[in-house]
Each structure stands twice: as structure tokens, then as C-alpha cells.
């Protein structure tokens, strides 16, 4: 009789024994699980993300508007030129106002590297009025200047109305008003029927200038031809400001020679300036103000981060049942921690992206209103989103750790 065959069992594999290993969450799973809280509580998520968005939008807009302003200034300087230098009288040793020589303009024109020279001379005691019935004390701060016909090209000023002085009108009672002077006098356009009273003599307004950024002192001026100023108003012929254009590469060299050339007998009584430096100083002041606004934006961003942290803490308290159920089904502490940390990062990322777009839109709108080119540095957008991720990570770290510490029984027992 044959013995029954014994059943051969497969060998026991060690890696199949013991407690089951928890499943690993893929990156897509982390995003999907982290978005659960945002989908189930959309209004709360929106309000929390809005706090982050406001802070990021403020910072991006401040940086963008400042950069757009600088770009607009650089474009204006490129159009006007940074090679304009001015020479004006300084002070004497006794403290009195010095005087440039009559030949100052001609001598400056001989400097090697100087391309063009022009000048104005203030006509003393020549007040400017719209009519003869205005009290003498109401001068509106308008000064009368004798001007060379080459002045407009030297300072880079544009005409808002009419024409500039030429060889013919410079000999007759014709005047060109600066932008501020025309506004104060109530002159809207130039024409043969428009006259103003200068030093007791009627002058026809033949032109009105646009604001001159490199010569703001002429905005509130009435400019008269050099010859007409001498014959009609008793102008003494002494220049009070000499404007000179130089080759870009030789501006500094020319600047060093201007004082001694304009007044060889007393070079210390001459002031030499570069108008574009004043605009650069204005830009530096704007950058300091930008730093203050960035600080305010950072505070707003911090407040948004606190809002995210508060939202996540409340979310943990409200979702204890969900946490307990996931723990009972095998989710580890690390997976719970990852879920809530991912939710916080998603919430902050949404706020950061929305804030960056909002800041970009504000910058573009304001730059368009001011006539500037829109210039938002890429680092501002990238840095804003990166800052939200850092803040979101820090804000969600404590709630995530707190959620991971809950045991299944404690979470499920919570009413």
C-alpha cells in the first residue's frame, strides 16, 4: 500500500510577516489630500489667502512702482541728456552775490569738448503782470529773463504752444512764458492778441514752454530776447546762468574747467552744477521712501501669516474626527503632519500668486497713469511667492505637529 503524498507548503518569506507597512504618499497624493481642507471650506480659505495676497501685492506694487519711476526718470534723462552743465554766480568773500563777466559765455564756448553754449540774464526789477490793474505786490513769483535764441535747444525744453524766440522776435517786444508762469498769469495759449506787462512794457506772448526738468528755474520765468531786454527794459547784459552741453565722455573734464574759465579772476565765486544730479538725488529720496513702504508691506505679510496660522489651528480643532479616522485606517503621524503642512503651503501659495498678480496689475495701472514704462523686477515676483511659502511653512508647522500628535482614540472620542 502506497503512503499518501505529503503536501509541500511554500517557504515562509520573512518580508511578508509582521505588521503591514504604511503606504507612501506620492507628491500628487500630498497635493490632493492637502487641498481637501481648502475645497471643503472655500470662504475661510479665501479670506486667509487674501491676507497673504494683500501683503505680497503691497510689496510687489511698491517695488514695481519704484522701479517704474526710476525707468521713467532714466528714459527722461536719456531723452534730455545728462551732459548739461550750468554756471551761475556764487558768493563773494563778503557774502554778497557775485557777478559773471560779460564775456563768460564766450569764454566757456572755447573749452575743448563743449558742443553748445547758451545763457540767460535776470532783468532786475522787471515785474510781470497780466494787466496793468494788478497791485504791484502781486508778482506771483514770476521773474523776467533775457534769453539767447539758442536757449531752448540747450536746456531741452519743448513748446506747449506757439514758437520760440528767433533772430527777428528777439529784437522786438515778444516773450515766451515758462509753464508755471503761464499758469499763474492765466495764459492758456500763445498768440498775437495775447499780451503781458513786463517792466511796464507790453510784450506779445509768442510761445509757452512745457515744464523743463533740467532748468526748473525757468518754469516761472518770462523769457525775452537779449536785444529787446536791453533796449526796452534796460538790461545790463550780464549773464546770470550759462548753460553748456558737452560731449558725454568729457562732461567731468569740462566741469572741472568751467569755474576758472567763466571767471578767471575769481573762480571761487562761480557755482557749477549738473542738473541731472538733482534728479538723481530725487530718485535716491524716492528709494528711501520705498524702503519705508516695503516695511509696511512686510508687516502686512506678517499679519497674513498669522491669519494662516490661526486658520490652520482652527482647522485642526474642527477636523479631529477626520484625523482620528485616517489614523485608524493606517495613516502615520508623518502623513498627517504632511497633509496639514501641505494645506498650509497651498493656502499660502494661492495667496502669494494672487498677490503677485494683483501687485503687477496695480503697478501697470499706476505706471500707465503716470506715463512711465512698467518695470517689475522678476526677483520681486519670485521673492514674493517664495516669501509666502516660507511664511506658510512656518505658520502651518505648529498646527501640523499638533494634528500628528493626536491619537486615533482621542481624535475619534472628541465630539
Amino acid at each position: 500500500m502506497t503512503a499518501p503524498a505529503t503536501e509541500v507548503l511554500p517557504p515562509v518569506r520573512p518580508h511578508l510577516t509582521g505588521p503591514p507597512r504604511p503606504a507612501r504618499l506620492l507628491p500628487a497624493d500630498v497635493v490632493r489630500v492637502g487641498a481637501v481642507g481648502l475645497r471643503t471650506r472655500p470662504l475661510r480659505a479665501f479670506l486667509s489667502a487674501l491676507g497673504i495676497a494683500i501683503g505680497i501685492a503691497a510689496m510687489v506694487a511698491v517695488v514695481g512702482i519704484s522701479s517704474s519711476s526710476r525707468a521713467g526718470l532714466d528714459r527722461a534723462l536719456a531723452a534730455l541728456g545728462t551732459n548739461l552743465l550750468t554756471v551761475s554766480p556764487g558768493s563773494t568773500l563778503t557774502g554778497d552775490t557775485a557777478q559773471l563777466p560779460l564775456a563768460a559765455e564766450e569764454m566757456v564756448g572755447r573749452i575743448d569738448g563743449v558742443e553748445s553754449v547758451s545763457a540767460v540774464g535776470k532783468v532786475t526789477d522787471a515785474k510781470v503782470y497780466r494787466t496793468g490793474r494788478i497791485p504791484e505786490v502781486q508778482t506771483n513769483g514770476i521773474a523776467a529773463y533775457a534769453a539767447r535764441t539758442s536757449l531752448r535747444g540747450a536746456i531741452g525744453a519743448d513748446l506747449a504752444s506757439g514758437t520760440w524766440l528767433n533772430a527777428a522776435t528777439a529784437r522786438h517786444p515778444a516773450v515766451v512764458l515758462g509753464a508755471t508762469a503761464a499758469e499763474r498769469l492765466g495764459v492758456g495759449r500763445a498768440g498775437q492778441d495775447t499780451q503781458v506787462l513786463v517792466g511796464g512794457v507790453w510784450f506779445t506772448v509768442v510761445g509757452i514752454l512745457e515744464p523743463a526738468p533740467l532748468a526748473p528755474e525757468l518754469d516761472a520765468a518770462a523769457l525775452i530776447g537779449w536785444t529787446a531786454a536791453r533796449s526796452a527794459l534796460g538790461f545790463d547784459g550780464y549773464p546770470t546762468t550759462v548753460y553748456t552741453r558737452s560731449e558725454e565722455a568729457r562732461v567731468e573734464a569740462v566741469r572741472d574747467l568751467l569755474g576758472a574759465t567763466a571767471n578767471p579772476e575769481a573762480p571761487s565765486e562761480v557755482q557749477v552744477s549738473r542738473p541731472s544730479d538733482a534728479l538723481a538725488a530725487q530718485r535716491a529720496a524716492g528709494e528711501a521712501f520705498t524702503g519705508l513702504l516695503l516695511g509696511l508691506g512686510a508687516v502686512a505679510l506678517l499679519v497674513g501669516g498669522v491669519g494662516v496660522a490661526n486658520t490652520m489651528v482652527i482647522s485642526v480643532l474642527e477636523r479631529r474626527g477626520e484625523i482620528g479616522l485616517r489614523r485608524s485606517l493606517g495613516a502615520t503621524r508623518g502623513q498627517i503632519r504632511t497633509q496639514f503642512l501641505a494645506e498650509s503651503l497651498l493656502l499660502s501659495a494661492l495667496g502669494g500668486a494672487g498677490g503677485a498678480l494683483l501687485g503687477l496689475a496695480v503697478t501697470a495701472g499706476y505706471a500707465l497713469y503716470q506715463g512711465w514704462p512698467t518695470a517689475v523686477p522678476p526677483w520681486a515676483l519670485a521673492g514674493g511667492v517664495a516669501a509666502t511659502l516660507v511664511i506658510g511653512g512656518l505658520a502651518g508647522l505648529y498646527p501640523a505637529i499638533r494634528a500628528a500628535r493626536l491619537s486615533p482614540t482621542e481624535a475619534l472620542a472628541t465630539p
Side-chain angles (χ1 to χ4, degrees):
M1 194 172 171
T2 307
T6 59
E7 183 180 358
V8 179
L9 298 176
V12 178
R13 298 180 181 180
H15 67 278
L16 295 179
T17 62
R21 295 182 181 180
R24 298 180 61 182
L25 289 177
L26 298 176
D29 297 327
V30 172
V31 174
R32 185 167 54 253
V33 171
V36 169
L38 306 184
R39 292 196 304 268
T40 56
R41 297 168 180 82
L43 180 59
R44 181 182 297 173
F46 171 76
L47 294 177
S48 300
L50 183 62
I52 289 287
I54 291 175
I56 291 299
M59 298 184 71
V60 171
V62 166
V63 174
I65 290 174
S66 177
S67 299
S68 299
S69 174
R70 287 196 296 269
L73 179 59
D74 292 339
R75 185 173 66 178
L77 287 177
L80 295 172
T82 58
N83 59 343
L84 177 66
L85 299 173
T86 64
V87 179
S88 57
S91 300
T92 63
L93 293 177
T94 59
D96 297 328
T97 302
Q99 191 176 51
L100 293 176
L102 287 171
E105 184 181 354
E106 181 181 355
M107 291 187 294
V108 167
R110 298 195 186 105
I111 298 177
D112 189 21
V114 171
E115 296 178 335
S116 62
V117 178
S118 190
V120 296
K122 188 173 183 179
V123 183
T124 308
D125 298 330
K127 308 301 182 183
V128 184
Y129 303 98
R130 186 66 175 90
T131 68
R133 298 184 179 182
I134 298 176
E136 293 185 3
V137 294
Q138 296 181 9
T139 61
N140 285 322
I142 302 173
Y145 286 91
R148 299 294 190 187
T149 56
S150 58
L151 176 66
R152 190 173 77 90
I155 64 175
D158 295 324
L159 282 166
S161 176
T163 61
W164 177 247
L165 298 170
N166 54 43
T169 56
R171 298 190 182 96
H172 300 285
V175 61
V176 175
L177 299 177
T180 304
E183 181 181 354
R184 292 176 182 175
L185 292 172
V187 178
R189 54 179 291 274
Q192 295 181 355
D193 57 344
T194 305
Q195 293 185 324
V196 294
L197 198 62
V198 182
V201 180
W202 288 103
F203 279 74
T204 301
V205 179
V206 297
I208 298 175
L209 292 176
E210 294 280 2
L214 294 183
E217 68 277 4
L218 300 183
D219 288 342
L223 303 170
I224 303 161
W226 205 274
T227 304
R230 301 188 89 171
S231 60
L233 302 177
F235 173 53
D236 58 13
Y238 284 92
T240 52
T241 305
V242 177
Y243 301 90
T244 174
R245 292 274 184 179
S246 309
E247 298 175 11
E248 289 286 352
R250 309 190 66 176
V251 171
E252 298 302 329
V254 171
R255 189 177 187 177
D256 294 338
L257 298 174
L258 278 177
T261 304
N263 192 352
E265 295 183 358
S268 60
E269 297 179 359
V270 177
Q271 290 184 345
V272 180
S273 63
R274 190 173 183 176
S276 57
D277 290 344
L279 296 179
Q282 180 183 1
R283 181 172 67 180
E287 290 176 353
F289 187 65
T290 298
L292 175 62
L293 294 179
L294 281 176
L296 296 177
V299 172
L301 186 60
L302 179 61
V303 172
V306 172
V308 171
N310 183 58
T311 298
M312 295 307 301
V313 169
I314 295 176
S315 180
V316 169
L317 295 177
E318 291 182 344
R319 296 163 62 186
R320 287 190 173 189
E322 174 192 337
I323 295 171
L325 181 61
R326 289 201 62 206
R327 289 297 309 277
S328 300
L329 294 176
T332 64
R333 293 178 181 269
Q335 291 173 346
I336 297 296
R337 186 166 52 246
T338 301
Q339 173 188 351
F340 281 88
L341 188 58
E343 183 175 332
S344 177
L345 290 174
L346 285 174
L347 189 61
S348 300
L350 290 175
L357 293 177
L358 180 60
L360 183 60
V362 170
T363 300
Y366 189 79
L368 180 63
Y369 173 75
Q370 294 289 347
W372 299 335
T374 302
V376 180
W379 63 263
L381 297 174
V385 176
T388 60
L389 294 178
V390 172
I391 289 178
L394 295 176
L397 187 60
Y398 169 73
I401 294 176
R402 181 172 180 174
R405 288 178 177 175
L406 291 174
S407 63
T409 56
E410 179 184 359
L412 291 174
T414 304

